[in-house]
Amino acid sequence: AEDGKVEWEHGIQTPQDCWMRPNGNVLVCYRHGAMEITPQHQVAWEYRAPAQAQCHSCQPLKNGNVLVAECGMSRIVEVGKTGQITNEIPIASKAKNMGHQFRGTRQTADGHYWVCLMDEQKIVELSPTGVLLREIPVEGYPHAAVRLPNEHLLVTLGPTMKVVELDKKLNVVWQIDKNDLPGNPLRLPAGCQRL
């Protein structure tokens, strides 16, 4: 609640990315897949990833499918209402540790994919078919990249302990560093949202 009291909770092992759905359900990905949970704690939908995958990002899509990013499998999958994969986009990652391949994977309104390649310290934009459109180098390990209405990028840099906003020319126009908020040091900023 606004006063900080817990109104609802559901135990899940290794939750990563979470969305409140318009119907009151909660979509969450966890290490081995993604699920949608009702306010009554029933599993309304679930996708189980292959055993070698680690899922760190999910997103409900406008077409009713769910995007799930699978480290280890080096791919983005779109999963339908029956739990079947309807689309697969390979992700080129050079990370040696599969858990560090990527985070913060999102599909934008134009159907493009934005992927934070952590160990490679860059964000990539892919076409709807997975073609590399551009690479954006960053000074740190990106965990989330949110494209703002003015086409700037809001980026969390995880263990670098900062959040930056990049303009169209990739200049830093705003940032928060580890100790900029008195009494609230940044530890590992992983997600962000412009209110």
Side-chain angles (χ1 to χ4, degrees), residues 80-92:
K81 293 178 182 178
T82 63
Q84 297 297 315
I85 295 173
T86 62
N87 191 21
E88 179 179 336
I89 303 292
I91 303 296

Side-chain angles (χ1 to χ4, degrees), residues 28 30 40 45 58 64 85 88 105 137 143 146 193:
V28 62
Y30 57 98
Q40 296 77 33
W45 174 91
C58 66
I85 295 173
E88 179 179 336
T105 304
H143 276 61
V146 177
Q193 179 179 354

Side-chain angles (χ1 to χ4, degrees), residues 13-188:
Q13 189 175 13
T14 64
Q16 297 288 314
D17 201 357
C18 189
W19 298 79
M20 177 66 78
R21 305 300 307 265
N23 62 3
N25 290 356
V26 174
L27 173 67
V28 62
C29 70
Y30 57 98
R31 184 177 181 135
H32 301 294
M35 66 174 61
E36 187 170 324
I37 306 155
T38 69
Q40 296 77 33
H41 304 282
Q42 300 298 312
V43 175
W45 174 91
E46 185 168 15
Y47 167 72
R48 291 192 181 269
Q52 64 269 38
Q54 289 185 15
C55 302
H56 299 291
S57 296
C58 66
Q59 177 188 10
L61 302 177
K62 289 181 182 178
N63 65 5
N65 291 342
V66 174
L67 176 152
V68 180
E70 296 180 344
C71 292
M73 300 295 293
S74 297
R75 67 182 185 172
I76 299 168
V77 293
E78 292 182 23
V79 184
K81 293 178 182 178
T82 63
Q84 297 297 315
I85 295 173
T86 62
N87 191 21
E88 179 179 336
I89 303 292
I91 303 296
S93 171
K94 297 174 185 168
K96 293 179 181 167
N97 179 334
M98 90 165 164
H100 289 199
Q101 283 187 318
F102 42 87
R103 296 284 194 280
T105 304
R106 296 289 185 255
Q107 185 184 72
T108 56
D110 57 9
H112 292 190
Y113 299 96
W114 289 79
V115 183
C116 295
L117 295 173
M118 286 178 49
D119 280 1
E120 296 166 61
Q121 298 188 28
K122 65 183 176 183
I123 301 159
V124 294
E125 179 182 5
L126 306 175
S127 76
T129 59
V131 174
L132 178 65
L133 300 175
R134 69 174 165 162
E135 295 183 354
I136 301 168
V138 293
E139 294 182 14
Y141 302 92
H143 276 61
V146 177
R147 189 173 180 194
L148 302 174
N150 62 2
E151 297 186 24
H152 288 193
L153 278 179
L154 191 60
V155 181
T156 61
L157 294 171
T160 313
M161 298 180 221
K162 69 168 65 174
V163 180
V164 297
E165 181 180 339
L166 305 174
D167 67 13
K168 292 180 189 178
K169 295 181 180 179
L170 305 182
N171 297 311
V172 175
V173 295
W174 176 89
Q175 72 180 39
I176 290 181
D177 289 310
K178 177 182 177 181
N179 294 311
D180 285 352
L181 303 172
N184 294 289
L186 295 182
R187 296 291 186 223
L188 197 153

